[in-house]
Amino acid sequence: MPKKLQRLGQAVKEFQQYMDEMLARERGSASAEHSKTANLMSALVRASDETSQSKDLGQDSKRGLTDEEIFGNIFAYNLAGHETTANTVAFALVLLAAKPRYQDWVREEVKEAQAAAEGDYESIFPRLQRCFAVMYETLRLYGSIVFIPRAASHGTQTLHGPSGKEIILPPSTAVNINVQALHTDPKTWGPDTLSWRPDRWFLPPSEKHPSGQTFISPPQGSFIPWADGPRVCPGQKFAQVEFVAVMATLLGGYRVKPVLGAGQTEEEGRKALMEMVDDSAITAITLQMREPRKVALRWEGLA
């Protein structure tokens, strides 16, 4: 067997052992009624135990979560919480290197926020709206998830469309939501919908909004990188904080540029970055650049 597959098999085995040990500790703490931990595993264990012991639910609803279901949730959180955010950071850095004026745009805000805030999360995070705009614009065009599978419940459902049109969904009908189509609809995003332009997330200056720094709210259902409704991604806030922290730290003190080939100009290097980004496809689960090493990036410290 190839060494890569051997290492993969060993990693899966070790991950399961870690999960077994962690679950045993959490169940022991819960049964001793002195658990003070607040992590995902403890939350799943407590929720499962409370459901099983509830007097307000019928027997069919009191099953709680099996160990396998708890492990499945932990695995999904690890996969979704790390790969998707890292993917978005990678796309954003390449795009910023290809369009450097947005680096200056973000850096201006970071410096202002650092000067005005006290340095703690509560005071500085809300001020970094341009970092948010970079994240949202990257997710709009290059979001990790390009479609969201859903299914109708056991009963018949009626969808109400435009002009009074109704669509009847039989029970258990599978539906795939085309996220890319929603995120590039010219009716919502304008004629330049395929252009990566983070400043589109702010209303233009006007009498009502003279600063030009008012963050827009897209129509409901038109921007769903974390899905929507009761099954919205629970890691949405964590991903936002993580992305903004990375962008503010990097762009506050550094500038990112393409590594140029022999005889290549800066403009040609930026064009090559855009071509690398646009040559993306779904690999396994998420959208990724096909050849992410085709053009390298370099960092310059700022005085």
Side-chain angles (χ1 to χ4, degrees):
M1 182 180 292
K3 289 185 178 180
K4 286 185 178 180
L5 292 181
Q6 291 181 29
R7 290 198 297 271
L8 177 61
Q10 183 62 29
V12 171
K13 183 178 179 181
E14 291 179 357
F15 184 80
Q16 185 63 57
Q17 290 175 343
Y18 294 145
M19 293 299 98
D20 288 336
E21 294 169 3
M22 186 181 296
L23 181 59
R25 286 199 301 271
E26 292 297 341
R27 289 203 185 281
S29 298
S31 62
E33 296 185 354
H34 58 70
S35 175
K36 298 295 183 181
T37 58
N39 54 50
L40 179 59
M41 180 73 84
S42 63
L44 289 171
V45 170
R46 283 197 298 270
S48 179
D49 290 347
E50 289 170 2
T51 299
S52 300
Q53 298 166 13
S54 174
K55 297 180 181 179
D56 300 324
L57 299 174
Q59 286 301 120
D60 291 341
S61 302
K62 291 175 65 174
R63 184 172 61 85
L65 296 174
T66 65
D67 289 357
E68 288 72 21
E69 288 170 331
I70 290 177
F71 293 147
N73 276 279
I74 293 292
F75 182 79
Y77 270 85
N78 274 276
L79 174 67
H82 287 84
E83 181 180 356
T84 53
T85 306
N87 228 25
T88 306
V89 169
F91 271 103
L93 291 176
V94 174
L95 290 161
L96 285 164
K99 299 191 176 186
R101 70 184 183 91
Y102 287 111
Q103 294 186 55
D104 298 330
W105 182 68
V106 171
R107 187 176 299 109
E108 179 184 40
E109 179 187 67
V110 170
K111 295 300 183 184
E112 290 176 357
Q114 290 173 338
E118 298 176 5
D120 58 346
Y121 166 79
E122 287 80 6
S123 62
I124 197 169
F125 181 73
R127 299 174 184 268
L128 299 175
Q129 295 296 295
R130 293 180 184 178
C131 290
F132 259 111
V134 169
M135 182 185 200
Y136 280 24
E137 184 70 349
T138 303
L139 287 170
R140 187 181 71 83
L141 289 177
Y142 305 100
S144 295
I145 306 301
V146 298
F147 66 89
I148 300 173
R150 286 289 183 263
S153 62
H154 297 298
T156 299
Q157 292 193 18
T158 302
L159 302 182
H160 300 281
S163 304
K165 183 177 180 180
E166 291 188 349
I167 301 174
I168 308 299
L169 297 182
S172 303
T173 299
V175 177
N176 278 322
I177 303 171
N178 189 333
V179 178
Q180 289 288 66
L182 289 172
H183 289 182
T184 55
D185 185 352
K187 294 178 182 177
T188 302
W189 306 103
D192 65 342
T193 181
L194 297 181
S195 297
W196 187 80
R197 189 169 61 78
D199 50 4
R200 76 169 71 245
W201 288 89
F202 293 96
L203 293 173
S206 64
E207 269 189 41
K208 189 174 182 181
H209 305 285
S211 69
Q213 294 298 306
T214 302
F215 211 82
I216 70 166
S217 296
Q220 185 175 10
S222 63
F223 182 66
I224 54 171
W226 292 281
D228 203 1
R231 291 187 178 275
V232 68
C233 175
Q236 175 178 346
K237 184 65 174 181
F238 178 79
Q240 292 172 343
V241 173
E242 188 175 27
F243 182 95
V244 169
V246 169
M247 287 297 120
T249 301
L250 291 176
L251 298 181
Y254 300 90
R255 184 185 303 278
V256 61
K257 294 183 174 182
V259 174
L260 303 179
Q264 193 176 41
T265 66
E266 286 280 351
E267 187 60 35
E268 290 170 341
R270 294 168 190 164
K271 182 180 178 182
L273 287 177
M274 289 305 303
E275 290 173 351
M276 183 174 73
V277 167
D278 288 336
D279 183 26
S280 299
I282 300 175
T283 58
I285 298 175
T286 58
L287 182 74
Q288 296 182 2
M289 288 174 268
R290 293 178 189 267
E291 299 182 78
R293 294 181 177 85
K294 190 174 182 179
V295 184
L297 299 178
R298 62 188 177 92
W299 293 89
E300 291 182 354
L302 300 173

